[in-house]
Amino acid sequence: MMRIPVPETLLRRAVYAGIALVLLTPLVITPQTIFPFVVGKAVWSRSVIEVVFALWAVLAVAKPDYRPPRSWLLALLGAGLGVALLASLTGASLQRSLWSDYFRMQGVVDDAHWLAFAVVLASTLRSFAAWRAVLGAACAVGAAAAAAVVARRYGFDIPVYGDLPEMHLPRMGGTLGNPTWLGVYMLANLAVALGLAAHAVCVGGATPGAGGRRPAGRWLRALPWLGAAGLHFWGLALAGSVGSFVGLAAGMGFLVLFGAVAARGRVRLLAAAALVGMALAAAAAGVRFTAPDRAAYWLPEGPFARVLAVHIDRPSVQSRLAAWEAGLEGFAARPVLGWGPENFIVVFGRYASGYGAFSGPQGRAHNTFVEVAATAGAAGLAAWLALWGFAFATVWRAAARAAAGERALALAAGAALAGLFMAGQYLFETAADSLQTVLLLAFAARLERTAFPGARGPRLPAGPAARREALCRPARVRAGLAAAALALTIAAAAAGLATHQRIFAAASDRAVGAVQPEDLAEAIDGFGPLANTWRMALFGAVAEGWPRIVAEDGAEARRVLEWAAREGEAAVRAEPEEWRIHASLARMFAAAARTEPDRAGAAARFLASARALAPARAVFETVPEPPSALAARRLADGRTELGWRWPAGAGYVVVTESTGDGPERFILHAYDPARTSLVLPEGRAPGAWRYRIKACLHPGSCSAVVQWRGAVGRAGPAPAPERRR
């Protein structure tokens, strides 16, 4: 006779299915949206989490065993969300803190969803076997993403995705879009895959007819996870992200440090030796990273070329240093609760200087410590440090106390968390990173019972009688609570799904690159809290197309300008300190003022406010002219010196070297206008070698490239620098 599942079984299976769907987030791409690698992942994960949380809430009300465990990690996650909400209320823009923008799709609303997912995981996955299955499923999804990256690298189309676009070749981004995001995703999965392989070896299978273990069976069980680890490392290498390799070193450092402290005998000696070796390697990397005038080679055919060529003078490093400096100044200005989550762009505008005055705008600090300090202040920083500190203490103590199989996964979780933590000091989180971080932190919450066995109490009073007295008094109250929870959670899930459907529709790429400003109206009206992304596109379209628009129909042009002005007022109300909005409006009204003189006042007003909010940034940015007065002269020692005149307004200049049809390599990034010469190594000179130079504000805004010719003059004075005005 077939057994009909009880509601508990159905609900539990539905929750498990929802967890599995959330794990698929890194594979989601929505080509029909403005940011296809970002928007779809956020909408997918939030929508599924809302449904899963609603199902879990009903299950938890009906069955007390599924209620949240007593966990310090869950409490600290909640405390961090509470501080973020408080900082949002006192920050630069509540709307941006809650919803972020289409480019990032994060904010407090997103954080609340991931906290809800952590609660579901910690409450539903009650056995170590269940956790092993979920971690294995997450690792399998990562292996699929890595396989897709490898396939695209060698020219194969991918089922479902087809010709997956790659925008950062030779570095790969895969289904994550950006190589840095892919690298961090691969990093965490690599650690988990190795942990699952170690668990398979530790547990193994019984020999038939005996109580011992069969070594070959252990390794056979480990082979799939070792293969997954290999795929993840391959994907990590193809991503070529420096931050990811720093995170990989941090994960290895966690394991080696644990061995040096907690192991015994030969293992401890080997771990201590490895720890010393890693320290020496880190010191050598630091020397190489800061060595003056070191040629920073860029070899497109080498997967590790970018990592090996990293140098403090690279624009990507300089822009991060500028953002970190601005973030620390912003923290000093608002030390308690900061400027509000997602408002780092405000901090960057106010305090960026040096190269920060020329680099691309930094909406993220690319350093979680600085980001949290600037946007949530000391309160947020304390919650964040407490969360990560307790997480590391938990996995460390659990690994020291657990049996071999559980120890393997605890160490893997610790290595993955160490990697994510360290990579976060150079990068920033995305939906895939949030998924992995929450998954590992929820697993660490499961390990709390092993790490701190005396600190955790049961969910309910001990004993059947006490449990009945606590929960069934009277039965109608419990039924009423269950019904209310059911209605509330279903209503919340339905509202959330409707909201995210609106977000998805409003993010349609139909308005991308709009020629007619009216094409942006539907996108702006689609979802108000995220409309400023499209509003700035509107201001740019009017500014760029104003001569054409006014020539086609003057009356219609004025109507469009009035509409854009109203949208400008709405944008400023929502984000009053977002300097890019003020700068966009200044450019729009300045363009309109050429034919509508009465708009000159608005242009001047927004120009003044943009300069007040971002004192070091140019509102009307122009591409710099290429360096001039190129000269090559022979020095007394036989070497050749290249000289140039620094172009006014340049942020930095780049000199490259190549031979014949070979690849170019960067040999100088110079940020000081006084730097107007470069001495080449002996045997190098224009002619057989090709030397070229360009001036840039940031990597996306550079001059034409000019080249030194083959003739080398005799020794003489180098061209005088032209000071930046």
Side-chain angles (χ1 to χ4, degrees), residues 408-561:
L409 280 185
L411 287 174
L417 285 171
L420 289 171
F421 180 86
M422 188 55 65
Q425 308 320 305
Y426 193 74
L427 306 171
F428 55 88
E429 273 200 346
T430 63
D433 305 339
S434 296
L435 167 62
Q436 290 180 303
T437 301
V438 164
L439 188 64
L440 292 166
L441 289 175
F443 177 58
R446 162 66 174 76
L447 295 175
E448 282 186 63
R449 69 184 66 175
T450 302
F452 308 100
R456 292 171 54 88
R459 291 184 177 88
L460 300 167
R467 190 174 295 117
R468 283 194 300 273
E469 183 181 357
L471 294 175
C472 305
R473 193 181 47 186
R476 292 180 180 178
V477 173
R478 183 180 171 193
L481 289 174
L486 177 63
L488 182 62
T489 52
I490 289 177
L497 291 173
T499 297
H500 288 102
Q501 190 278 330
R502 288 178 58 202
I503 291 173
F504 190 78
S508 171
D509 66 349
R510 291 192 301 271
V512 174
V515 176
Q516 298 296 338
E518 296 91 333
D519 296 338
L520 292 160
E522 184 177 351
I524 291 172
D525 296 335
F527 189 71
L530 290 170
N532 277 1
T533 300
W534 292 117
R535 285 177 177 135
M536 282 197 284
L538 167 65
F539 308 149
V542 173
E544 184 177 352
W546 182 255
R548 173 186 56 80
I549 297 170
V550 75
E552 290 175 354
D553 188 335
E556 178 65 13
R558 285 185 286 276
R559 187 195 68 79
V560 168
L561 186 61

Side-chain angles (χ1 to χ4, degrees), residues 11-256:
L11 285 170
R12 187 176 67 250
R13 290 177 179 175
V15 171
Y16 287 164
I19 291 172
L21 291 175
V22 176
L23 297 182
L24 295 176
T25 297
L27 301 181
V28 175
I29 300 176
T30 50
Q32 68 271 40
T33 59
I34 180 176
F35 298 112
F37 296 101
V38 176
V39 173
K41 289 178 176 61
V43 170
W44 170 269
S45 60
R46 292 180 194 175
S47 300
V48 178
I49 288 171
E50 288 163 358
V51 174
V52 170
F53 187 80
L55 293 169
W56 165 80
V58 176
L59 182 62
V61 169
K63 299 291 181 180
D65 286 344
Y66 294 97
R67 294 177 185 175
R70 295 181 182 177
S71 165
W72 279 106
L73 279 170
L74 292 182
L76 288 169
L77 273 172
L81 180 65
V83 172
L85 182 57
L86 186 59
S88 301
L89 295 172
T90 61
S93 168
L94 175 61
Q95 175 178 289
R96 189 174 182 88
S97 290
L98 292 176
W99 293 99
S100 185
D101 58 17
Y102 286 116
F103 189 44
R104 297 299 181 213
M105 292 293 290
Q106 293 177 302
V108 175
V109 169
D110 193 63
D111 292 343
H113 283 78
W114 289 115
L115 173 60
F117 188 57
V119 170
V120 172
L121 290 170
S123 306
T124 309
L125 305 178
R126 297 175 295 167
S127 68
F128 187 74
W131 268 108
R132 190 172 68 248
V134 169
L135 291 172
C139 188
V141 173
V149 169
V150 173
R152 287 300 301 133
R153 176 64 180 82
Y154 297 102
F156 296 99
D157 287 344
I158 307 167
V160 179
Y161 297 105
D163 186 14
L164 187 67
E166 289 289 352
M167 299 173 288
H168 300 82
L169 294 173
R171 302 168 62 205
M172 305 295 292
T175 59
L176 280 297
N178 190 311
T180 60
W181 302 346
L182 174 67
V184 175
Y185 179 58
M186 294 290 105
L187 159 67
N189 278 307
L190 171 60
V192 173
L194 291 175
L196 290 167
H199 176 271
V201 173
C202 291
V203 175
T207 302
R213 300 292 185 185
R214 182 187 303 163
R218 297 183 185 182
W219 285 105
L220 285 175
R221 293 185 180 207
L223 280 178
W225 301 120
L226 290 174
L231 271 175
H232 287 118
F233 184 77
W234 201 347
L236 179 66
L238 291 175
S241 168
V242 178
S244 301
F245 277 94
V246 172
L248 179 62
M252 294 171 58
F254 177 86
L255 297 177
V256 170

Side-chain angles (χ1 to χ4, degrees), residues 318-422:
Q318 287 291 315
S319 64
R320 282 164 169 78
L321 294 175
W324 299 352
E325 182 179 1
L328 293 175
E329 290 189 38
F331 171 60
R334 290 193 181 183
V336 180
L337 287 171
W339 297 78
E342 297 300 307
N343 283 296
F344 187 81
I345 188 66
V346 173
V347 178
F348 184 80
R350 281 183 177 272
Y351 299 105
S353 59
Y355 180 59
F358 296 91
S359 69
Q362 299 290 319
R364 289 291 186 277
H366 289 78
N367 181 294
T368 311
F369 181 92
V370 174
E371 178 102 20
V372 173
T375 59
L381 200 57
W384 179 74
L385 290 173
L387 171 67
W388 281 93
F390 190 75
F392 286 126
T394 299
V395 295
W396 184 286
R397 285 175 61 94
R401 294 166 177 258
E406 189 171 344
R407 179 185 299 123
L409 280 185
L411 287 174
L417 285 171
L420 289 171
F421 180 86
M422 188 55 65

Side-chain angles (χ1 to χ4, degrees), residues 280-297:
L280 293 175
V287 171
R288 180 178 175 84
F289 176 71
T290 57
D293 293 330
R294 182 181 66 80
Y297 296 104

